């Protein structure tokens, strides 16, 4: 495109002819001939040897232009445009046509001369980029320039042979800011057209710039699950996050994902253990493409845990050689985070406290026990508490060696017939339990060693089968043990007494009653040394006519009777029976079966007119006299049969009468009433008198059971409290005593029995018989209700009644 | 013909070339005649001699310094056309397709004259030639020396100016003492209406050796040459040279006696 101004100088003027020449050539290349024509129809001519059809003179533009297509290098040169005007001078314009040949598109090679266009290789952050840009051709020779985005970074190019221009780019230490930056190689030799360029976009592997454990709890609890989160940013490609505990990698459950902002997140499901306390948990983020790109964040674990407690006995002690009286100590070793704020000690599960007087000293982490006993033995634990909870130690067992002692520290009473063998079982507590036994026999002061052949011993138990042959064989057997620690201090005692009548039943009660049936239950007492059976008698009221008998051959004493006649009332007598006879009855005053004939009230609620009352009082008075006579006779008789016993009985009776008129009265009354019911007892009825055993002690210390009776009251009490546990045939004499008393005092003295504790009241009532009868009118209900009260009286008279049994043998 | 030779450089083009050269015996320029100098106020005849051969004439165009001032186009009516250009007046009666007559040229007519002859369509083959013409205005009088003081003694400083008459091209002034050229102390020119007055100064102390032969001669020479403004050094003899001089003669005791002698008025032939 070559411009040529063909505008005339004057308005009147007009173009006439335009000729184009090249250099000094005479022959024009192109002509535009307007002569004799309209301007628009000018004659155009292009020299075929020059532009030919490539050229066209365009007059429509201002200035007019000679357009030449497909300009070749040969077209370059100085051109002249001659414009002839009709009226004004010719215009000659010179145009220098320079033909520029653009270079080819640059090619970018890397340092290994690989074409970067065909290579998708990332650079690592911090590495150097070496690139070569090669451009072929171009006229004039092109400038080859490197741009980073819009900034020239290298314009030093070299024209090489073979028409190649190169620019070597060395771009050191590329960084994060260069990610996706465009490196452009541009080749240009003119401003007329766009430069040729080639672009590579920098893809950079980036190091992670940050890594943070975001959930650094101040402390964690052992064995709880924690989700620990770690975040890393800045890495490209995504950072690989690993977890380390101290220097060991944790390859357990981690959940990794990518979040917005190119953040790599890893969540470690972590259960700290006690051993982790103080260790470092490290989160490590690394770009696997770049060496030494790892970043770490550490978290010092503060693991809280329930105290770990171990207990051991003092190291200077030999746990197998601790005797009663020794001092021992325990050491409690506590491992805890946070520190334990409380330490407690337990003995067999019960907390123990500091008690210097009891010899329990708690200090720091140790427990001192001074003067241990067998009761101090057992399992000890210590317990430490912190905010995480309580930790209990292993149990440390304290074994205390001690000399044998009786397992049951009460004496055992056994009744035996002559030639009857009783099995005595002596069990002791001892540590070590290897016990050697020996037995002694004692009667009335003679102490004899039982030959070892007579008893057998296994561990802490020794058995002796004892057969009394003569009266002299009754007495006290004592069992002694000794072990490594020493000799038993007090022996286990067995009283072997001659067999007799059983003791009365106790605690009888109507368990179930219908209109025609009855169920009564009792507890058995001492069987008198012989097998016993049980008997229930029903006496119809008011005449006390025996109507029914129920026998129970073998215990327990539970009685059933059916098909009763309705509408009747009965007195129920209950007995224990053995070969020596039957016991005193246990009386249930009145049991009424509801029915057509009502007999519950009438007898009891008979109107008591003054005459009748007077009669009764008189009868009572007579009875007292008779009773006194009978007693006197009986005593004499007894004295003859059992001189010692009789003497005692006499004294007792005498004393009793003086001291306790109520019981005396009762005794007489009881005898009177029971006689028809229990004829066998009639002979003894008179002597069943309540008496204080203490009196006997003073009066006759020589009698056989003396020693036995001398035993502390406690001993008896205990023995009788639980006879069924020890020997089934033994009966509780305590309650029986109550029954006995009840029996003695029954009916007309019931009111006095109520107030038996207070003698003065009793006396008063005894004298004023009239008043005494009035509560009687209250009927059997009052009497039955009095029964429990009677029991309370028991202990006062136990030994007496017991001895009476003995004396009966 | 030259062009034809150039075109037919290669053997395989010979046939085409031969045809071209034989068939188209085209326009060629024979000679252009431009007088190298012309005195102001005189006529100048410019000639352009060409041979049309088989061509017809389209135009003859005359340029002075690239400006067209005369055109001869036979197809045009009238065929002659001249354009006003300073210092140039074309005598149409004595001009045609072969020559142009310039009347009463003045200093502005100096310049490069070119004729371009173009053949008719379709080739419009053009030939051109050019020549330079200088218009010369000679001074009416010779150079004049001023500044003399009549009596000088040895040791006095003689300070003189030499001023040329108005001319074009400007006169070149040179000092000679006793026939030996001396470097002037200063030069100056004053222009007026295209004509130039030159001034040179001379200043020296009078010494006894200036009177070697008993007297001293101071000469100022004014030279006008058409070659002055052209190539320097001149590659050819000046076409025109006009020398005039003035003499000062001194005798002991120093009396400067002024003489004006027109020694030369040489005009070199072409």
């Amino acid at each position: 495109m070559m411009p040529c101004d063909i505008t005339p100088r004057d308005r009147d003027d007009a173009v006439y002819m335009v000729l184009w020449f090249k250099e000094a050539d005479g022959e024009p290349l192109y002509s535009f001939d307007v002569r004799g024509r309209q301007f628009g129809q000018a004659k155009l001519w292009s020299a075929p040897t020059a532009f030919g059809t490539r050229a066209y003179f365009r007059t429509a533009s201002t200035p007019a232009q000679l357009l030449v297509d497909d300009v070749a290098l040969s077209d370059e040169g100085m051109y002249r445009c001659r414009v002839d005007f009709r009226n004004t001078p010719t215009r000659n314009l010179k145009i220098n046509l320079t033909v520029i040949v653009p270079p080819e598109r640059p090619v970018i090679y890397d340092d290994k001369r690989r074409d970067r266009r065909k290579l998708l290789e990332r650079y690592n952050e911090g590495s150097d980029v070496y690139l070569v840009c090669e451009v072929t051709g171009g006229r004039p020779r092109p400038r080859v320039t490197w741009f980073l985005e819009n900034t020239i970074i290298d314009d030093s190019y070299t024209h090489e042979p073979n028409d190649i221009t190169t620019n070597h780019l060395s771009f050191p230490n590329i960084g994060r800011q260069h990610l996706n930056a465009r490196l452009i190689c541009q080749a240009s030799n003119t401003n007329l057209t766009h430069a040729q360029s080639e672009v590579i976009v920098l893809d950079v592997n980036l190091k992670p710039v940050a890594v943070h454990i975001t959930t650094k709890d101040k402390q964690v609890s052992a064995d709880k699950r924690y989700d620990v989160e770690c975040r890393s940013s800045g890495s490209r490609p995504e950072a690989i996050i690993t977890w380390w505990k101290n220097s060991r990698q944790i390859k357990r459950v981690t959940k990794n994902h990518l979040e917005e902002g190119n953040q790599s997140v890893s969540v470690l499901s972590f259960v700290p253990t006690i051993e982790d306390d103080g260790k470092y948990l490290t989160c490590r983020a690394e770009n696997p493409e770049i060496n030494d790109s790892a970043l770490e964040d550490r978290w010092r674990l503060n693991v809280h845990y329930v105290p770990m407690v171990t207990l051991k006995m003092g190291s200077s002690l030999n746990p197998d050689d601790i005797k009663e009286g020794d001092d021992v100590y325990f050491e409690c070793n506590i491992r805890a985070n946070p520190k334990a704020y409380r330490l407690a000690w337990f003995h067999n599960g019960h907390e123990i406290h500091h008690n210097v007087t009891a010899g329990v000293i708690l200090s720091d982490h140790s427990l001192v026990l001074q003067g241990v006993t067998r009761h101090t033995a057992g399992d000890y634990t210590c317990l430490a508490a912190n905010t995480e909870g309580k930790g209990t130690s292993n149990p440390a067992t304290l074994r205390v060696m001690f000399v044998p002692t009786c397992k049951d520290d009460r004496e055992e009473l056994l009744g035996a017939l002559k030639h009857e063998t009783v099995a005595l079982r002596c069990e002791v507590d001892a540590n070590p339990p290897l016990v050697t036994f020996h037995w002694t026999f004692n009667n009335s002061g003679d102490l004899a060693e039982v030959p070892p052949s007579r008893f057998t011993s296994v561990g802490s138990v020794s058995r002796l089968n004892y057969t009394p042959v003569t009266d002299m064989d009754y007495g006290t057997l004592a069992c002694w043990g000794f072990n490594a620690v020493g000799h038993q201090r007090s022996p286990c005692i067995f009283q072997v007494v001659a067999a007799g009548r059983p003791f009365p039943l106790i605690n009888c009660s109507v368990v179930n009653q219908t209109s025609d049936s009855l169920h009564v239950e009792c507890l058995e007492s001492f069987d008198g040394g012989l097998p016993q059976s049980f008997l229930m008698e029903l006496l119809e009221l008011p005449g006390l006519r025996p109507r029914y008998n129920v026998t129970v051959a073998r215990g327990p004493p539970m009685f059933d009777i059916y098909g009763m006649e309705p509408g009747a009332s009965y007195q129920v007598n209950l007995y224990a029976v053995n070969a020596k006879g039957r016991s005193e009855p246990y009386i249930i005053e009145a049991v009424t079966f509801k029915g057509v004939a009502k007999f519950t009230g009438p007898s009891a609620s008979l109107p008591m007119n003054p005459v009748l009352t007077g009669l009764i009082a008189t009868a009572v008075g007579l009875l007292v006299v008779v009773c006194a006579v009978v007693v006197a006779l009986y005593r004499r008789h007894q004295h003859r049969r059992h001189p010692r016993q009789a003497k005692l009985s006499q004294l007792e009776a005498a004393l009793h009468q003086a001291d306790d008129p109520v019981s005396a009265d009762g005794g007489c009354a009881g005898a009177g009433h029971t006689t028809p019911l229990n004829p066998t007892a009639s002979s003894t009825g008179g002597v069943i008198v309540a008496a204080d055993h203490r009196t006997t002690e003073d009066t006759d210390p020589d009698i056989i059971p003396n020693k036995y009776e001398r035993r502390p009251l406690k001993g008896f009490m205990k023995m009788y409290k639980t006879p069924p546990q020890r020997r089934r045939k033994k009966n509780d004499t305590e309650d029986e005593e109550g029954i006995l008393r009840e029996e003695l005092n029954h009916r007309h003295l019931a009111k006095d029995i109520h107030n038996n504790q207070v003698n003065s009241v009793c006396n008063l009532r005894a004298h004023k018989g009239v008043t005494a009868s009035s509560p009687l009118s209250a009927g059997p209900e009052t009497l039955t209700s009095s029964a429990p009260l009677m029991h309370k009286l028991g202990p006062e008279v136990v030994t007496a009644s017991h001895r009476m049994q003995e004396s009966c043998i | 013909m030259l062009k034809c030779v150039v075109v037919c450089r290669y053997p395989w083009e010979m046939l085409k070339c031969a045809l071209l050269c034989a068939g188209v015996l085209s326009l060629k320029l024979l000679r252009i005649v431009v007088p190298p100098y012309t005195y102001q106020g005189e006529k100048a005849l410019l000639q352009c001699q060409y041979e049309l051969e088989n061509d017809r004439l389209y135009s003859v165009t005359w340029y002075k310094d690239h400006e067209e001032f005369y055109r001869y186009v036979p197809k045009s009516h009238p065929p002659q056309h001249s354009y006003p250009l300073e210092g140039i007046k074309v005598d149409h009666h004595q001009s045609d397709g072969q020559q142009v007559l310039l009347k009463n040229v003045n200093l502005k007519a100096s310049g490069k004259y070119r004729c371009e002859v173009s053949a008719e369509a379709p080739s419009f083959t053009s030939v051109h030639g050019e020549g330079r013409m200088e218009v010369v205005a000679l001074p009416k009088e010779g150079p004049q020396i001023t500044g003399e003081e009549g009596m000088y003694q040895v040791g006095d400083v003689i300070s003189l100016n030499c001023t040329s008459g108005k001319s074009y091209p400007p006169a070149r002034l040179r000092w000679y003492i006793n026939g030996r050229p001396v470097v002037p102390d200063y030069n100056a020119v004053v222009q007026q209406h295209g004509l130039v007055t030159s001034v040179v100064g001379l200043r020296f102390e009078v010494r006894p050796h200036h009177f070697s032969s008993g007297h001293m001669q101071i000469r100022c020479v004014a030279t006008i040459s058409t070659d002055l403004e052209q190539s320097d050094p001149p590659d050819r003899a000046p076409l025109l040279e006009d020398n005039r001089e003035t003499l000062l003669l001194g005798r002991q005791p120093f009396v400067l006696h002024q003489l004006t002698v027109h020694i030369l008025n040489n005009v070199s032939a072409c």
Side-chain angles (χ1 to χ4, degrees):
Chain A
M1 182 195 79
M2 292 182 282
C4 180
D5 185 6
I6 57 167
T7 316
R9 291 180 185 83
D10 298 335
R11 215 186 302 162
D12 308 337
D13 207 354
V15 175
Y16 190 66
M17 175 79 73
V18 179
L19 297 175
W20 282 91
F21 298 90
K22 187 183 180 188
E23 310 284 347
D25 286 357
E27 197 167 330
L29 303 158
Y30 198 93
S31 63
F32 177 82
D33 189 354
V34 199
R35 289 173 301 167
R37 299 160 185 273
Q38 292 290 317
F39 180 80
Q41 290 157 358
K43 192 176 178 185
L44 306 176
W45 179 84
S46 179
T49 53
F51 295 142
T53 54
R54 289 192 290 139
Y56 170 72
F57 188 64
R58 191 168 70 172
T59 55
S61 61
T62 306
Q65 295 167 331
L66 180 65
L67 301 176
V68 182
D69 293 335
D70 299 330
V71 175
L73 194 55
S74 58
D75 293 331
E76 190 172 274
M78 184 68 80
Y79 288 81
R80 179 165 66 97
C81 163
R82 172 180 147 185
V83 188
D84 292 344
F85 294 97
R86 210 175 291 277
N87 300 321
T88 52
T90 295
R91 181 184 296 160
N92 279 290
L93 297 166
K94 283 192 173 177
I95 296 112
N96 190 1
L97 178 68
T98 307
V99 176
I100 297 167
V101 180
E104 288 178 12
R105 193 167 177 191
V107 181
I108 298 174
Y109 297 103
D110 67 6
D111 53 345
K112 292 168 190 148
R113 216 179 152 73
R114 293 175 296 185
D115 189 340
R116 280 302 300 198
R117 284 178 302 187
K118 296 161 187 162
L119 199 65
L120 290 168
E121 190 177 279
R122 288 176 170 179
Y123 289 95
N124 283 347
E125 185 180 356
S127 63
D128 303 334
V129 174
Y130 295 100
L131 294 170
V132 182
C133 181
E134 276 193 16
V135 180
T136 305
R139 183 178 175 278
R141 293 291 284 271
R143 298 181 308 278
V144 177
T145 315
W146 279 103
F147 287 79
L148 176 64
E149 298 294 342
N150 296 318
T151 311
I152 293 177
I153 52 170
D154 190 348
D155 59 357
S156 60
Y157 53 89
T158 316
H159 293 311
E160 316 250 357
N162 302 328
D163 218 15
I164 286 171
T165 308
T166 57
N167 186 339
H168 293 256
L169 173 68
S170 172
F171 191 66
N173 191 22
I174 61 164
R176 185 169 296 274
Q177 70 275 20
H178 298 121
L179 176 63
N180 294 328
R182 298 184 313 147
L183 272 177
I184 304 153
C185 176
Q186 181 177 292
S188 169
N189 57 3
T190 175
N191 291 332
L192 296 175
T193 57
H194 289 298
Q196 292 277 28
S197 61
E198 182 62 72
V199 177
I200 64 164
V201 177
L202 283 175
D203 198 352
V204 187
N205 288 323
L206 298 174
K207 298 175 184 177
V209 293
V211 59
H212 291 297
I213 298 174
T214 55
T215 51
K216 283 185 187 171
D217 294 346
K218 265 192 174 168
Q219 72 264 339
V220 291
S221 294
D223 304 325
K224 278 191 185 172
R225 188 163 289 280
Y226 290 87
D227 283 345
V228 188
E229 186 192 74
C230 182
R231 287 171 175 272
S232 175
S233 57
S235 178
R236 177 188 161 87
E238 182 185 357
I240 302 297
I241 294 182
T242 52
W243 291 89
W244 303 74
K245 192 159 72 185
N246 277 5
S247 57
R248 292 186 66 177
Q249 186 173 359
I250 305 173
K251 287 179 176 170
R252 277 176 296 169
V253 229
T254 54
K255 278 182 261 172
N256 296 322
H257 65 280
L258 205 62
E259 271 188 16
E260 244 178 73
N262 227 1
Q263 285 217 330
S264 304
V265 180
S266 177
V267 177
L268 171 71
S269 187
F270 178 59
V271 180
T273 64
I274 293 168
E275 283 67 38
D276 294 336
D277 187 33
K279 287 185 182 170
Y280 283 95
L281 188 66
T282 303
C283 172
R284 180 184 167 102
E286 183 172 24
N287 182 339
E289 306 289 329
I290 309 177
N291 290 336
D292 300 327
S293 66
L295 283 181
E296 291 185 351
D297 190 19
R298 295 203 303 172
W299 174 27
R300 190 178 189 277
L301 292 170
N302 181 11
V303 181
H304 282 188
Y305 51 91
V306 175
M308 294 177 68
V309 190
T310 51
L311 178 65
K312 61 175 186 182
M313 193 180 283
S315 51
S316 63
L317 300 171
N318 178 359
D320 295 323
D321 187 20
I322 292 165
K323 302 182 189 67
E324 280 191 316
D326 288 350
D327 294 343
V328 297
Y329 67 100
F330 293 93
E331 286 169 345
C332 185
N333 183 17
I334 302 169
R335 228 182 110 192
N337 183 25
K339 239 181 135 180
Y341 59 76
R342 180 169 174 253
L343 174 62
W345 293 85
F346 292 88
H347 175 220
N348 290 337
H350 300 288
E351 187 168 2
I352 50 180
H353 299 282
H354 188 75
N355 185 347
V356 177
T357 52
V360 179
I361 300 162
L362 309 182
S363 73
D364 200 16
H365 286 174
S366 61
L367 165 69
V368 179
L369 298 171
Q370 295 176 322
V372 295
T373 67
R374 75 191 63 176
H375 307 294
T376 321
D379 285 342
Y380 284 83
T381 51
C382 60
L383 176 148
N386 67 2
T387 50
E388 292 291 308
K390 296 171 180 172
T392 303
S393 73
N394 55 297
T397 306
L398 173 63
R399 291 185 297 277
V400 179
M401 295 195 291
F402 53 89
V403 296
T405 54
C406 290
K407 195 113 183 176
D408 292 315
D409 68 346
R410 59 183 170 244
E411 296 173 6
E412 205 169 317
L413 177 64
L414 300 105
L417 295 169
K418 283 178 186 162
H419 302 292
E420 183 192 2
T421 301
V422 288
L424 308 182
R425 185 177 180 275
C426 171
E427 186 174 5
V428 293
D429 282 332
N431 189 11
L434 196 64
V435 182
T436 308
F437 290 93
H438 71 100
W439 293 75
T440 56
F441 176 73
N442 193 5
N443 66 351
S444 64
D446 293 336
L447 189 71
E449 190 79 18
V450 176
S453 58
R454 299 282 298 278
F455 57 88
T456 57
S457 305
V458 176
S460 58
V461 177
S462 183
R463 294 171 197 278
L464 171 63
N465 292 325
Y466 187 71
T467 312
V469 178
T470 66
D471 286 343
M472 293 301 285
D473 293 334
Y474 293 101
T476 304
L477 283 152
C479 159
W480 304 78
F482 80 92
N483 65 358
V485 186
H487 285 273
Q488 188 167 350
R489 292 190 185 93
S490 51
C492 309
I493 304 292
F494 299 86
Q495 292 279 353
V496 180
V497 298
R501 283 198 295 150
F503 284 23
L505 292 170
I506 53 172
N507 261 5
C508 293
S509 60
V510 175
V511 173
N512 193 12
Q513 182 188 351
T514 65
S515 60
D516 66 341
S517 74
L518 183 67
H519 178 73
V520 179
E521 290 184 5
C522 299
L523 292 177
E524 58 188 295
S525 299
F526 179 50
D527 61 359
L530 295 167
Q532 63 180 354
S533 60
F534 309 99
L535 173 67
M536 178 171 77
E537 252 182 10
L538 273 74
L539 310 176
E540 188 176 325
L541 292 173
L544 290 176
R545 189 166 53 97
R547 288 293 303 271
Y548 303 102
N549 271 347
V550 177
T551 305
V552 176
R554 304 184 64 183
M558 293 162 69
F559 307 92
D560 282 302
I561 185 165
Y562 301 96
M564 308 284 291
E565 224 172 82
S569 290
Y570 302 91
Q571 175 179 301
V572 181
N573 291 353
L574 298 136
Y575 306 91
V577 182
N578 70 4
K580 289 280 182 179
R582 69 180 187 184
S583 69
E584 297 303 316
Y586 185 107
I587 297 169
I588 298 171
E589 291 289 335
V591 176
T592 301
F593 293 90
K594 289 173 187 169
V596 194
K598 287 175 185 165
F599 194 69
T600 40
S603 65
S605 59
L606 278 174
M608 288 292 232
N609 54 51
V611 180
L612 187 58
T613 312
L615 274 172
I616 292 168
T618 314
V620 170
L622 279 171
L623 262 170
V624 169
V625 175
V626 171
C627 200
V629 173
V630 169
V631 167
L633 286 171
Y634 174 75
R635 284 195 179 165
R636 213 167 284 161
H637 170 73
Q638 280 290 94
H639 193 69
R640 260 179 255 126
R641 280 171 56 202
H642 299 284
R644 288 174 188 167
Q645 197 76 0
K647 198 163 76 185
L648 169 68
S649 303
Q650 233 174 340
L651 257 168
E652 278 176 355
L655 280 166
H656 204 82
Q657 266 185 309
D659 292 347
D660 197 350
V662 177
S663 357
D665 286 0
C668 295
H673 282 284
T674 52
T675 302
L677 296 172
N678 191 357
T680 53
S682 60
S683 58
T684 57
V687 292
I688 301 173
V689 177
D692 192 351
H693 71 280
R694 282 169 296 191
T695 56
T696 61
E697 282 177 15
D698 298 331
T699 46
D700 192 357
D702 294 327
I703 55 168
I704 293 169
N706 183 12
K707 196 174 183 196
Y708 155 56
E709 284 182 344
R710 250 183 240 267
R711 300 248 71 82
L713 187 60
K714 185 188 86 179
F716 293 96
M717 292 301 296
K718 283 199 175 170
M719 187 175 85
Y720 291 117
K721 263 182 185 167
T722 54
Q725 292 175 359
R726 269 167 59 232
R727 295 187 61 194
R728 291 207 48 197
K729 290 202 171 173
K730 266 199 169 175
N731 283 322
D732 192 313
T733 49
E734 184 191 353
D735 284 341
E736 173 149 356
E737 190 55 35
I739 293 160
L740 194 65
R741 286 293 307 276
E742 192 179 351
E743 188 186 338
L744 293 170
N745 301 324
H746 85 282
R747 194 167 295 233
H748 49 280
L749 283 177
K751 64 175 197 302
D752 290 329
I753 292 160
H754 283 278
N755 303 308
N756 205 7
Q757 291 109 320
V758 188
N759 289 343
S760 59
V761 176
C762 291
N763 288 333
L764 188 70
R765 291 191 182 169
H767 293 301
K768 293 177 182 175
V770 182
T771 51
S773 62
S774 62
L776 201 64
S777 64
E781 295 102 313
T782 325
L783 285 167
T784 48
S785 70
S786 69
L789 285 167
M790 300 297 289
H791 296 227
K792 288 182 181 173
L793 300 172
E796 292 287 311
V797 290
V798 166
T799 50
S801 66
H802 187 71
R803 195 170 50 83
M804 292 314 290
Q805 288 282 349
E806 252 176 32
S807 63
C808 289
I809 297 168
Chain B
M1 290 311 288
L2 182 69
K3 181 184 167 196
C4 195
V5 170
V6 170
V7 168
C8 301
R9 271 176 302 183
Y10 308 109
W12 55 89
E13 288 181 334
M14 285 304 260
L15 180 61
K16 174 180 157 196
C17 188
L19 281 171
L20 246 165
C21 294
V24 189
L25 288 173
S26 58
L27 168 71
K28 60 185 176 197
L29 184 71
L30 298 177
R31 195 161 69 118
I32 180 165
V33 181
V34 177
Y37 64 92
T38 306
Y39 291 111
Q40 186 177 12
E42 294 182 355
K43 293 176 186 169
L45 180 65
L46 313 178
Q47 290 177 294
C48 190
Q49 297 170 12
Y50 51 88
E51 197 170 308
L52 274 171
E53 300 287 351
N54 294 333
D55 278 334
R56 289 172 292 124
L57 182 67
Y58 156 55
S59 71
V60 177
T61 308
W62 281 94
Y63 303 92
K64 176 190 173 266
D65 298 333
H66 308 297
E67 287 284 322
E68 189 186 25
F69 65 90
Y70 176 78
R71 181 192 297 172
Y72 178 80
V73 181
K75 281 190 176 176
S76 180
H77 188 76
Q80 289 185 85
H81 212 297
S82 64
Y83 306 100
L85 205 61
E86 224 178 346
I88 291 179
K89 284 173 189 147
V90 177
D91 184 349
H92 276 223
H93 297 289
Q94 296 186 58
S95 303
D96 55 21
Q98 301 286 334
Q99 64 177 33
V100 178
L101 182 70
L102 306 180
K103 298 184 288 188
N104 192 20
V105 298
N106 66 16
L107 290 175
K108 301 263 171 67
S110 293
K112 195 160 74 178
Y113 287 84
R114 188 163 82 114
C115 95
E116 183 175 23
V117 183
S118 299
E120 254 298 349
S123 75
F124 293 107
T125 303
S126 299
V127 291
H128 57 85
E130 64 183 20
R132 185 170 180 83
M133 181 179 82
E134 295 295 333
V135 178
V136 177
L138 293 176
K140 291 192 176 83
E141 66 279 338
Q144 288 191 337
I145 293 172
T146 55
E148 86 280 4
E149 292 179 356
M151 295 281 281
Y152 295 91
Q153 291 183 353
V154 171
D156 286 351
V157 172
I158 297 177
S159 184
L160 300 171
N161 272 346
C162 178
T163 306
S164 72
K166 289 184 276 188
S167 70
Y168 189 87
R172 190 178 68 167
L173 297 173
R174 280 170 294 182
W175 290 102
Y176 296 88
I177 299 174
N178 294 332
R180 289 177 186 160
V182 291
V183 178
D185 286 307
Y186 68 91
N187 277 298
V189 288
V190 177
Q191 297 204 25
Q192 200 178 13
H193 305 297
L195 298 178
V196 184
T197 303
S198 300
V199 181
V200 289
L202 180 68
R203 212 176 138 78
F204 67 98
E205 190 183 326
V206 179
R207 293 284 165 197
H209 68 81
H210 289 136
F211 301 97
S212 54
S213 58
H215 62 271
M216 181 174 67
Q217 183 196 53
I218 300 170
R219 189 159 57 123
C220 174
V221 180
T223 305
I224 291 166
S225 166
T226 56
D227 202 33
L228 289 179
E229 290 181 1
Q230 290 183 351
S231 57
D232 188 31
D235 50 1
R236 53 190 168 100
L239 295 174
L240 174 148
E241 190 168 296
D242 171 89
N243 289 310
R244 304 173 192 214
E245 64 176 38
T246 303
L247 271 175
L248 272 180
L249 290 174
R251 254 178 292 164
Q252 286 180 318
F254 295 152
V255 178
L256 283 174
H257 183 72
Q258 190 171 342
L259 274 175
T260 304
V261 182
H262 191 166
I263 298 170
L264 264 169
N265 192 0
N266 287 340
V267 176
S268 305
C270 285

